[in-house]
Amino acid sequence: MSPRLGIVADDITGAGDIGGLLAKHGYAVRILSEGADWEALSVRFTQERTDALIIDTDSRFLPPEEARARVVRATRALQAAGCGAYWKKTCSVFRGNVGAEFDAMLQTLGLETGVAVAAFPKNGRATLHGEHFVRGVPLPDTEFGQDPVHPRRDANLVRDLGRQTPRPVSSLPIETVRAGVAALRTAVDGVSAGYLLADAETQEDLRVLAQALANERVFLGSSGLAEELPAVWPAVEAFVPLQGAHWTHPQRVILIAGSVMPQTRVQVEHYVATGGTVYELDIPLALSDPERAAELLARLAGGALDAHSTVLLRSPNTPEQVAQARALGAVSGLTDLQVSQRISGTLASAAQLTAGRTGTQKLVALGGDTSAALTRALGITHTVVVEELAPVCPAPTRRTSA
């Protein structure tokens, strides 16, 4: 059975994000990890029920040409699997190599045009006349304006995307979206080359866009539209991925928090306030001797799991602590990105050691770098998405190796 939808995501959290939205509609969703044999696994999953096949290229922080090459390879693997439609999934604030990756997918599919949607109202993202907002605040004035690798300093996504691609970029304004499906189709059909960046502010705006774009061969942008498209596509029989699953220690959970986003800080603070057991990574040691830092953290966590059902392994994430870590890394010749990867990799190693020693099968990761590092540490090649826990929070997942 060929997947109806093939998706290329630039990081693991984005893959889980869109996967959770599709899984809530009964889709069988599988995610192939970066580093896995995409070509072999894509063909393999045509023999198992797969409604949406997602490849995580982990390309957000790569140079544009390397990101482009990964997207070309991933798109070809999805083509070999016989996908009916394609999606180049991006961050909802367009961090990363957006233009290069859009171009790579369109060129591989032999297409000249595509409609992009960054808006994700349930996650506080809205686009109006090309200007992007997060929870009502212009993009550069949010935490994403200070992103250490891809700071978002231009609220105008039409202009921003135009700097990243030789293809023309134009706006599909909110007035056209709210004029209805027929007006939208006329606008889309009138573009012969390049990208249309669609405005959207509400879930109803996305619903109209889904109705107008349902038969497109390619979709571009955030996950928001994925919540509305299944309603206008043929229904699928509900998929039950955890049927027959058995947990050796069902109450034991290891949580790993490596994100520097304020939302993660709030989650960690809530966990601590409710009596959760927390161990913090020794940053200087992680930067100088990551193996020893992981071992020390794993010993603490392993002992705690004997007495408590959960333990949280975290990195310091206040702005002051993050700045201190970067400064310390710079002394050792590490870039900000390398510091981030060293920290997330050490957390992941500690979690992997703890899980192996205690038999814990349930792990929860907060942060894209952290999730990708944990996937690599555990040797995971693909993930089956179970459900969406809450809006934009993709569910417990059952992760399996080939």
Side-chain angles (χ1 to χ4, degrees):
M1 174 183 172
S2 297
R4 66 167 56 190
L5 183 60
I7 301 168
V8 179
D10 66 355
D11 79 342
I12 193 169
T13 53
D17 177 14
I18 193 168
L21 291 174
L22 295 168
K24 71 187 286 186
H25 291 277
Y27 281 47
V29 181
R30 303 180 189 276
I31 301 172
L32 308 188
S33 304
E34 187 277 323
D37 188 336
W38 300 338
E39 292 79 8
L41 287 172
S42 292
V43 173
R44 167 185 161 183
F45 287 130
T46 62
Q47 308 304 312
E48 301 178 36
R49 178 173 167 189
T50 306
D51 300 310
L53 184 59
I54 306 173
I55 295 179
D56 167 27
T57 57
D58 194 25
S59 53
R60 182 173 297 176
F61 301 120
L62 293 178
E65 286 307 312
E66 290 184 37
R68 183 192 304 272
R70 286 197 188 181
V71 171
V72 168
R73 180 189 160 208
T75 304
R76 287 174 177 164
L78 294 172
Q79 284 179 299
C83 294
Y86 299 83
W87 197 310
K88 174 76 262 305
K89 165 70 177 70
T90 70
C91 167
S92 60
V93 297
F94 274 18
R95 288 176 296 174
N97 298 292
V98 177
E101 297 197 5
F102 281 178
D103 288 347
M105 177 169 277
L106 259 63
Q107 183 176 1
T108 305
L109 295 174
L111 299 176
E112 296 297 325
T113 65
V115 178
V117 181
F120 197 164
K122 287 190 176 180
N123 202 17
R125 277 61 162 165
T127 311
L128 291 173
H129 300 113
E131 300 284 318
H132 205 54
F133 300 85
V134 177
R135 300 180 296 276
V137 178
L139 181 57
D141 299 329
T142 70
E143 62 269 25
F144 299 107
Q146 304 303 316
D147 187 277
V149 181
H150 293 288
R152 311 302 294 119
R153 294 181 176 139
D154 191 343
N156 191 297
L157 296 187
V158 175
R159 186 168 54 228
D160 183 68
L161 181 57
R163 287 192 289 262
Q164 301 179 49
T165 173
R167 298 174 185 242
V169 182
S170 56
S171 175
L172 186 56
I174 194 69
E175 291 82 3
T176 304
V177 173
R178 291 178 179 170
V181 172
L184 269 172
R185 277 311 324 167
T186 298
V188 172
D189 293 340
V191 176
S192 59
Y195 302 107
L196 271 176
L197 181 70
D199 282 355
E201 184 182 28
T202 68
Q203 204 63 27
E204 180 59 28
D205 295 333
L206 289 185
R207 194 166 296 120
V208 174
L209 281 164
Q211 292 168 2
L213 303 175
N215 295 320
E216 291 291 299
R217 191 174 173 217
V218 66
F219 300 88
L220 308 168
S222 77
S223 302
L225 204 59
E227 189 156 30
E228 300 300 334
L229 281 167
V232 295
W233 284 339
V236 300
E237 182 180 348
F239 180 62
V240 186
L242 287 181
Q243 190 168 14
H246 173 71
W247 306 107
T248 304
H249 298 286
Q251 301 306 316
R252 285 186 177 177
V253 183
I254 302 169
L255 303 102
I256 313 99
S259 170
V260 299
M261 288 290 105
Q263 296 92 326
T264 300
R265 203 153 52 242
V266 171
Q267 291 170 324
V268 169
E269 289 169 356
H270 176 76
Y271 178 79
V272 172
T274 56
T277 303
V278 182
Y279 292 106
E280 190 170 282
L281 180 66
D282 183 329
I283 296 298
L285 186 59
L287 295 179
S288 63
D289 190 346
E291 290 187 8
R292 184 171 170 228
E295 175 62 34
L296 290 175
L297 197 58
R299 287 181 188 174
L300 292 171
L305 282 174
D306 289 335
H308 307 281
S309 60
T310 66
V311 62
L312 170 65
L313 310 181
R314 62 166 298 185
S315 60
N317 74 344
T318 67
E320 295 76 18
Q321 290 170 324
V322 171
Q324 289 170 4
R326 291 173 184 159
L328 187 59
V331 172
S332 302
L334 300 175
T335 66
D336 288 351
L337 177 58
Q338 289 171 328
V339 169
S340 174
Q341 291 173 334
R342 180 74 60 86
I343 291 171
S344 59
T346 307
L347 282 172
S349 294
Q352 184 268 331
L353 289 170
T354 306
R357 293 169 183 174
T358 63
T360 304
Q361 295 173 296
K362 294 183 178 181
L363 297 93
V364 177
L366 304 177
D369 285 352
T370 309
S371 299
L374 183 61
T375 298
R376 287 191 292 269
L378 295 175
I380 291 166
T381 59
H382 69 275
T383 302
V384 180
V385 179
V386 178
E387 63 182 344
E388 183 191 45
L389 284 176
V392 307
C393 182
T397 55
R398 176 178 144 206
R399 293 170 171 173
T400 56
S401 57

